[in-house]
Short mmCIF file of all heavy atoms in Angstrom, two decimals:
data_model
loop_
_atom_site.label_atom_id
_atom_site.label_comp_id
_atom_site.label_asym_id
_atom_site.label_seq_id
_atom_site.Cartn_x
_atom_site.Cartn_y
_atom_site.Cartn_z
N THR A 1 20.38 8.91 -67.65
CA THR A 1 19.93 7.51 -67.83
C THR A 1 20.61 6.54 -66.87
O THR A 1 20.03 5.75 -66.28
CB THR A 1 20.11 7.07 -69.26
OG1 THR A 1 19.33 7.89 -70.19
CG2 THR A 1 19.78 5.62 -69.47
N ILE A 2 21.99 6.68 -66.88
CA ILE A 2 22.76 5.85 -65.99
C ILE A 2 22.42 5.96 -64.56
O ILE A 2 22.27 4.96 -63.76
CB ILE A 2 24.25 5.96 -66.22
CG1 ILE A 2 24.56 5.43 -67.70
CG2 ILE A 2 25.07 5.28 -65.26
CD1 ILE A 2 26.02 5.66 -68.12
N VAL A 3 22.34 7.15 -64.10
CA VAL A 3 22.03 7.52 -62.72
C VAL A 3 20.70 6.97 -62.36
O VAL A 3 20.42 6.36 -61.28
CB VAL A 3 22.07 8.97 -62.42
CG1 VAL A 3 21.63 9.32 -61.03
CG2 VAL A 3 23.59 9.45 -62.56
N HIS A 4 19.68 7.20 -63.28
CA HIS A 4 18.33 6.74 -62.90
C HIS A 4 18.24 5.12 -62.88
O HIS A 4 17.72 4.55 -62.06
CB HIS A 4 17.36 7.12 -64.08
CG HIS A 4 15.99 6.69 -63.79
ND1 HIS A 4 15.29 5.78 -64.58
CD2 HIS A 4 15.04 7.03 -62.73
CE1 HIS A 4 14.06 5.51 -64.14
NE2 HIS A 4 13.92 6.26 -63.01
N GLN A 5 19.00 4.38 -63.86
CA GLN A 5 19.12 3.06 -63.80
C GLN A 5 19.64 2.57 -62.35
O GLN A 5 19.34 1.50 -61.83
CB GLN A 5 19.84 2.45 -64.91
CG GLN A 5 19.18 2.55 -66.22
CD GLN A 5 19.96 1.81 -67.32
OE1 GLN A 5 21.01 1.25 -67.07
NE2 GLN A 5 19.43 1.97 -68.56
N SER A 6 20.60 3.31 -61.86
CA SER A 6 21.27 2.95 -60.66
C SER A 6 20.49 3.31 -59.34
O SER A 6 20.69 2.66 -58.37
CB SER A 6 22.63 3.72 -60.51
OG SER A 6 23.41 3.52 -61.69
N LEU A 7 19.48 4.21 -59.51
CA LEU A 7 18.81 4.64 -58.37
C LEU A 7 17.23 4.26 -58.37
O LEU A 7 16.48 4.61 -57.48
CB LEU A 7 18.93 6.19 -58.09
CG LEU A 7 20.30 6.63 -57.87
CD1 LEU A 7 20.12 8.25 -57.80
CD2 LEU A 7 20.91 6.11 -56.67
N GLU A 8 16.83 3.55 -59.48
CA GLU A 8 15.43 3.47 -59.71
C GLU A 8 14.71 2.47 -58.61
O GLU A 8 13.48 2.55 -58.54
CB GLU A 8 15.20 2.80 -61.08
CG GLU A 8 15.71 1.44 -61.38
CD GLU A 8 15.52 0.97 -62.79
OE1 GLU A 8 14.68 1.70 -63.48
OE2 GLU A 8 16.13 0.00 -63.19
N THR A 9 15.51 1.78 -57.89
CA THR A 9 14.83 0.96 -56.82
C THR A 9 14.31 1.83 -55.74
O THR A 9 13.28 1.47 -55.01
CB THR A 9 15.81 -0.04 -56.22
OG1 THR A 9 17.00 0.64 -55.82
CG2 THR A 9 16.13 -1.15 -57.22
N ARG A 10 14.86 2.99 -55.58
CA ARG A 10 14.48 3.99 -54.50
C ARG A 10 13.64 5.13 -55.13
O ARG A 10 12.82 5.75 -54.54
CB ARG A 10 15.64 4.53 -53.71
CG ARG A 10 16.32 3.42 -52.81
CD ARG A 10 17.09 4.06 -51.69
NE ARG A 10 17.73 3.04 -50.87
CZ ARG A 10 17.12 2.38 -49.84
NH1 ARG A 10 15.87 2.74 -49.57
NH2 ARG A 10 17.75 1.48 -49.14
N TRP A 11 14.10 5.53 -56.30
CA TRP A 11 13.37 6.58 -57.08
C TRP A 11 12.98 6.03 -58.45
O TRP A 11 13.68 6.17 -59.43
CB TRP A 11 14.27 7.81 -57.23
CG TRP A 11 14.58 8.47 -55.95
CD1 TRP A 11 13.92 9.55 -55.32
CD2 TRP A 11 15.82 8.40 -55.06
NE1 TRP A 11 14.46 9.98 -54.25
CE2 TRP A 11 15.67 9.27 -54.10
CE3 TRP A 11 16.86 7.47 -55.09
CZ2 TRP A 11 16.57 9.38 -53.00
CZ3 TRP A 11 17.81 7.64 -54.17
CH2 TRP A 11 17.70 8.50 -53.05
N PRO A 12 11.75 5.54 -58.53
CA PRO A 12 11.28 4.99 -59.82
C PRO A 12 11.28 6.11 -60.86
O PRO A 12 11.45 5.72 -62.04
CB PRO A 12 9.84 4.51 -59.52
CG PRO A 12 9.89 4.25 -57.99
CD PRO A 12 10.79 5.25 -57.41
N THR A 13 10.93 7.36 -60.46
CA THR A 13 11.15 8.42 -61.49
C THR A 13 12.06 9.55 -60.85
O THR A 13 11.87 9.79 -59.68
CB THR A 13 9.74 9.01 -61.68
OG1 THR A 13 9.08 9.50 -60.52
CG2 THR A 13 8.78 7.91 -62.40
N LEU A 14 12.70 10.14 -61.71
CA LEU A 14 13.60 11.24 -61.25
C LEU A 14 13.44 12.41 -62.22
O LEU A 14 13.83 12.36 -63.34
CB LEU A 14 15.03 10.84 -61.12
CG LEU A 14 15.58 10.13 -59.89
CD1 LEU A 14 16.99 9.62 -60.08
CD2 LEU A 14 15.37 11.04 -58.74
N PRO A 15 12.89 13.57 -61.75
CA PRO A 15 12.82 14.70 -62.67
C PRO A 15 14.24 15.22 -62.92
O PRO A 15 15.18 15.06 -62.05
CB PRO A 15 11.96 15.76 -61.88
CG PRO A 15 11.94 15.35 -60.46
CD PRO A 15 12.22 13.69 -60.50
N VAL A 16 14.48 15.87 -64.04
CA VAL A 16 15.72 16.46 -64.50
C VAL A 16 15.58 17.90 -64.67
O VAL A 16 14.61 18.41 -65.43
CB VAL A 16 16.21 15.76 -65.74
CG1 VAL A 16 17.53 16.36 -66.15
CG2 VAL A 16 16.30 14.28 -65.51
N LEU A 17 16.42 18.72 -64.12
CA LEU A 17 16.45 20.21 -64.34
C LEU A 17 17.82 20.62 -64.88
O LEU A 17 18.81 20.02 -64.61
CB LEU A 17 16.20 20.96 -63.04
CG LEU A 17 14.75 20.96 -62.50
CD1 LEU A 17 14.70 21.69 -61.10
CD2 LEU A 17 13.78 21.51 -63.47
N HIS A 18 17.79 21.69 -65.68
CA HIS A 18 19.00 22.21 -66.30
C HIS A 18 19.05 23.63 -65.99
O HIS A 18 18.12 24.43 -66.27
CB HIS A 18 19.05 22.01 -67.82
CG HIS A 18 19.21 20.53 -68.18
ND1 HIS A 18 20.43 20.01 -68.54
CD2 HIS A 18 18.30 19.56 -68.32
CE1 HIS A 18 20.32 18.72 -68.81
NE2 HIS A 18 18.95 18.48 -68.70
N PHE A 19 20.13 24.20 -65.41
CA PHE A 19 20.48 25.62 -65.27
C PHE A 19 21.77 25.88 -65.83
O PHE A 19 22.74 25.07 -65.68
CB PHE A 19 20.53 25.97 -63.72
CG PHE A 19 19.25 25.71 -63.06
CD1 PHE A 19 19.11 24.73 -62.05
CD2 PHE A 19 18.14 26.62 -63.19
CE1 PHE A 19 17.99 24.60 -61.34
CE2 PHE A 19 16.94 26.44 -62.49
CZ PHE A 19 16.82 25.43 -61.59
N SER A 20 21.99 27.11 -66.41
CA SER A 20 23.37 27.49 -66.69
C SER A 20 23.88 28.00 -65.36
O SER A 20 23.17 28.25 -64.39
CB SER A 20 23.21 28.71 -67.66
OG SER A 20 22.77 29.89 -67.06
N TYR A 21 25.21 28.13 -65.32
CA TYR A 21 25.86 28.54 -64.11
C TYR A 21 25.31 29.92 -63.67
O TYR A 21 25.00 30.23 -62.52
CB TYR A 21 27.42 28.69 -64.29
CG TYR A 21 28.22 28.91 -63.09
CD1 TYR A 21 28.83 27.80 -62.46
CD2 TYR A 21 28.48 30.15 -62.67
CE1 TYR A 21 29.61 28.06 -61.31
CE2 TYR A 21 29.35 30.33 -61.60
CZ TYR A 21 29.84 29.28 -60.89
OH TYR A 21 30.69 29.48 -59.82
N ALA A 22 25.14 30.83 -64.68
CA ALA A 22 24.66 32.20 -64.45
C ALA A 22 23.24 32.19 -63.91
O ALA A 22 22.86 32.93 -63.01
CB ALA A 22 24.68 33.02 -65.69
N GLU A 23 22.42 31.23 -64.48
CA GLU A 23 21.02 31.16 -64.09
C GLU A 23 20.92 30.72 -62.60
O GLU A 23 20.09 31.20 -61.82
CB GLU A 23 20.25 30.20 -65.00
CG GLU A 23 19.89 30.73 -66.33
CD GLU A 23 19.29 29.66 -67.22
OE1 GLU A 23 19.53 28.42 -67.00
OE2 GLU A 23 18.77 30.02 -68.33
N ALA A 24 21.82 29.70 -62.26
CA ALA A 24 21.77 29.20 -60.84
C ALA A 24 22.18 30.34 -59.85
O ALA A 24 21.54 30.44 -58.79
CB ALA A 24 22.68 28.03 -60.73
N MET A 25 23.25 31.09 -60.20
CA MET A 25 23.61 32.18 -59.38
C MET A 25 22.58 33.28 -59.20
O MET A 25 22.40 33.77 -58.17
CB MET A 25 25.00 32.72 -59.86
CG MET A 25 26.20 31.83 -59.67
SD MET A 25 26.64 31.81 -57.94
CE MET A 25 28.17 30.76 -58.02
N GLN A 26 21.97 33.56 -60.32
CA GLN A 26 20.93 34.61 -60.27
C GLN A 26 19.68 34.13 -59.48
O GLN A 26 19.19 34.87 -58.62
CB GLN A 26 20.46 34.87 -61.69
CG GLN A 26 19.53 36.10 -61.72
CD GLN A 26 20.21 37.34 -61.60
OE1 GLN A 26 21.11 37.79 -62.25
NE2 GLN A 26 19.83 38.10 -60.51
N ARG A 27 19.30 32.84 -59.65
CA ARG A 27 18.14 32.30 -59.00
C ARG A 27 18.38 32.10 -57.49
O ARG A 27 17.45 32.45 -56.66
CB ARG A 27 17.69 31.03 -59.66
CG ARG A 27 16.55 30.32 -59.03
CD ARG A 27 15.91 29.34 -59.85
NE ARG A 27 14.77 28.66 -59.34
CZ ARG A 27 14.01 27.85 -60.07
NH1 ARG A 27 14.18 27.64 -61.25
NH2 ARG A 27 12.87 27.35 -59.41
N PHE A 28 19.55 31.54 -57.11
CA PHE A 28 19.76 31.18 -55.69
C PHE A 28 20.61 32.25 -54.82
O PHE A 28 20.61 32.02 -53.61
CB PHE A 28 20.34 29.75 -55.73
CG PHE A 28 19.42 28.73 -56.26
CD1 PHE A 28 19.81 28.15 -57.47
CD2 PHE A 28 18.24 28.40 -55.72
CE1 PHE A 28 19.02 27.19 -58.15
CE2 PHE A 28 17.38 27.40 -56.34
CZ PHE A 28 17.74 26.82 -57.57
N VAL A 29 21.34 33.02 -55.52
CA VAL A 29 22.15 33.98 -54.88
C VAL A 29 21.69 35.49 -55.15
O VAL A 29 22.03 36.37 -54.46
CB VAL A 29 23.58 33.81 -55.18
CG1 VAL A 29 24.47 34.64 -54.28
CG2 VAL A 29 24.01 32.33 -55.08
N ASP A 30 21.06 35.65 -56.30
CA ASP A 30 20.57 36.90 -56.72
C ASP A 30 21.79 37.87 -57.17
O ASP A 30 21.89 38.97 -56.75
CB ASP A 30 19.72 37.68 -55.66
CG ASP A 30 18.94 38.88 -56.27
OD1 ASP A 30 18.70 38.86 -57.46
OD2 ASP A 30 18.76 39.81 -55.54
N ILE A 31 22.75 37.25 -57.85
CA ILE A 31 23.80 37.99 -58.44
C ILE A 31 23.96 37.71 -59.92
O ILE A 31 23.72 36.61 -60.36
CB ILE A 31 25.18 37.79 -57.73
CG1 ILE A 31 25.49 36.19 -57.87
CG2 ILE A 31 25.13 38.16 -56.28
CD1 ILE A 31 26.98 35.94 -57.40
N ASP A 32 24.48 38.68 -60.65
CA ASP A 32 24.90 38.47 -62.06
C ASP A 32 26.32 38.03 -62.06
O ASP A 32 27.20 38.92 -62.03
CB ASP A 32 24.63 39.84 -62.83
CG ASP A 32 24.91 39.65 -64.34
OD1 ASP A 32 25.64 38.72 -64.70
OD2 ASP A 32 24.39 40.51 -65.06
N VAL A 33 26.54 36.78 -62.11
CA VAL A 33 27.87 36.33 -61.84
C VAL A 33 28.88 36.74 -62.87
O VAL A 33 30.10 36.93 -62.57
CB VAL A 33 27.88 34.80 -61.80
CG1 VAL A 33 27.64 34.15 -63.20
CG2 VAL A 33 29.14 34.18 -61.22
N HIS A 34 28.50 37.00 -64.14
CA HIS A 34 29.45 37.40 -65.14
C HIS A 34 29.91 38.90 -65.03
O HIS A 34 30.78 39.29 -65.66
CB HIS A 34 28.88 37.08 -66.52
CG HIS A 34 28.74 35.68 -66.88
ND1 HIS A 34 29.79 34.73 -66.64
CD2 HIS A 34 27.73 34.87 -67.17
CE1 HIS A 34 29.43 33.49 -67.01
NE2 HIS A 34 28.16 33.59 -67.29
N ARG A 35 29.00 39.68 -64.33
CA ARG A 35 29.30 41.05 -64.17
C ARG A 35 29.72 41.50 -62.70
O ARG A 35 30.12 42.66 -62.56
CB ARG A 35 28.06 41.91 -64.61
CG ARG A 35 27.90 41.79 -66.21
CD ARG A 35 26.63 42.56 -66.63
NE ARG A 35 26.55 42.58 -68.12
CZ ARG A 35 26.03 41.57 -68.87
NH1 ARG A 35 25.48 40.47 -68.18
NH2 ARG A 35 25.96 41.62 -70.18
N ALA A 36 29.40 40.62 -61.82
CA ALA A 36 29.84 40.94 -60.44
C ALA A 36 31.40 41.09 -60.31
O ALA A 36 32.20 40.47 -61.02
CB ALA A 36 29.36 39.79 -59.47
N THR A 37 31.79 42.13 -59.50
CA THR A 37 33.20 42.35 -59.27
C THR A 37 33.79 41.30 -58.34
O THR A 37 33.05 40.67 -57.55
CB THR A 37 33.45 43.76 -58.81
OG1 THR A 37 32.88 43.84 -57.39
CG2 THR A 37 32.75 44.78 -59.62
N ASP A 38 35.14 41.26 -58.37
CA ASP A 38 35.82 40.38 -57.43
C ASP A 38 35.49 40.63 -55.94
O ASP A 38 35.23 39.79 -55.17
CB ASP A 38 37.33 40.39 -57.64
CG ASP A 38 37.70 39.81 -58.99
OD1 ASP A 38 36.90 39.36 -59.73
OD2 ASP A 38 38.93 39.83 -59.30
N SER A 39 35.48 41.99 -55.71
CA SER A 39 35.23 42.40 -54.27
C SER A 39 33.70 42.05 -53.91
O SER A 39 33.54 41.72 -52.74
CB SER A 39 35.42 43.85 -54.15
OG SER A 39 34.64 44.59 -55.05
N GLU A 40 32.79 42.19 -54.78
CA GLU A 40 31.46 41.80 -54.50
C GLU A 40 31.36 40.32 -54.22
O GLU A 40 30.66 39.97 -53.19
CB GLU A 40 30.47 42.13 -55.60
CG GLU A 40 30.27 43.70 -55.79
CD GLU A 40 29.57 44.02 -57.14
OE1 GLU A 40 29.52 43.18 -58.03
OE2 GLU A 40 28.97 45.15 -57.14
N LEU A 41 31.97 39.51 -55.03
CA LEU A 41 31.97 38.05 -54.72
C LEU A 41 32.67 37.68 -53.32
O LEU A 41 32.18 36.87 -52.69
CB LEU A 41 32.66 37.33 -55.94
CG LEU A 41 31.92 37.41 -57.17
CD1 LEU A 41 32.77 36.62 -58.28
CD2 LEU A 41 30.52 36.79 -57.13
N ALA A 42 33.71 38.46 -53.11
CA ALA A 42 34.49 38.19 -51.87
C ALA A 42 33.63 38.55 -50.72
O ALA A 42 33.65 37.85 -49.59
CB ALA A 42 35.73 39.01 -51.78
N VAL A 43 32.82 39.63 -50.68
CA VAL A 43 31.94 39.99 -49.51
C VAL A 43 30.89 38.81 -49.34
O VAL A 43 30.64 38.42 -48.17
CB VAL A 43 31.16 41.31 -49.89
CG1 VAL A 43 30.02 41.51 -48.86
CG2 VAL A 43 32.13 42.44 -49.91
N ILE A 44 30.26 38.36 -50.39
CA ILE A 44 29.31 37.29 -50.32
C ILE A 44 30.03 35.96 -49.76
O ILE A 44 29.47 35.39 -48.85
CB ILE A 44 28.59 37.02 -51.57
CG1 ILE A 44 27.83 38.17 -52.12
CG2 ILE A 44 27.70 35.77 -51.54
CD1 ILE A 44 27.28 38.10 -53.50
N GLY A 45 31.17 35.63 -50.31
CA GLY A 45 31.78 34.41 -49.91
C GLY A 45 32.33 34.53 -48.46
O GLY A 45 32.23 33.52 -47.76
N THR A 46 32.78 35.70 -48.01
CA THR A 46 33.27 35.85 -46.69
C THR A 46 32.05 35.65 -45.65
O THR A 46 32.20 35.04 -44.63
CB THR A 46 33.86 37.29 -46.48
OG1 THR A 46 34.98 37.35 -47.32
CG2 THR A 46 34.32 37.51 -45.03
N THR A 47 30.90 36.17 -46.02
CA THR A 47 29.76 36.02 -45.19
C THR A 47 29.32 34.57 -45.10
O THR A 47 29.04 34.12 -43.99
CB THR A 47 28.52 36.82 -45.72
OG1 THR A 47 28.84 38.23 -45.84
CG2 THR A 47 27.31 36.59 -44.90
N LEU A 48 29.43 33.85 -46.13
CA LEU A 48 29.03 32.45 -46.17
C LEU A 48 30.01 31.55 -45.40
O LEU A 48 29.69 30.72 -44.65
CB LEU A 48 28.89 31.94 -47.60
CG LEU A 48 27.68 32.51 -48.41
CD1 LEU A 48 27.82 32.10 -49.87
CD2 LEU A 48 26.35 32.04 -47.77
#
């Protein structure tokens, strides 16, 4: 509500989405963050 009131002159409407951390990692990185090993995360992070 506060952000929308602050930005409504440029964005009269603002859609809102909710993801859990795990959902965001699964959707945008394709990993199961709670089960991925440290080494698997390190490989992805090193590449990025």
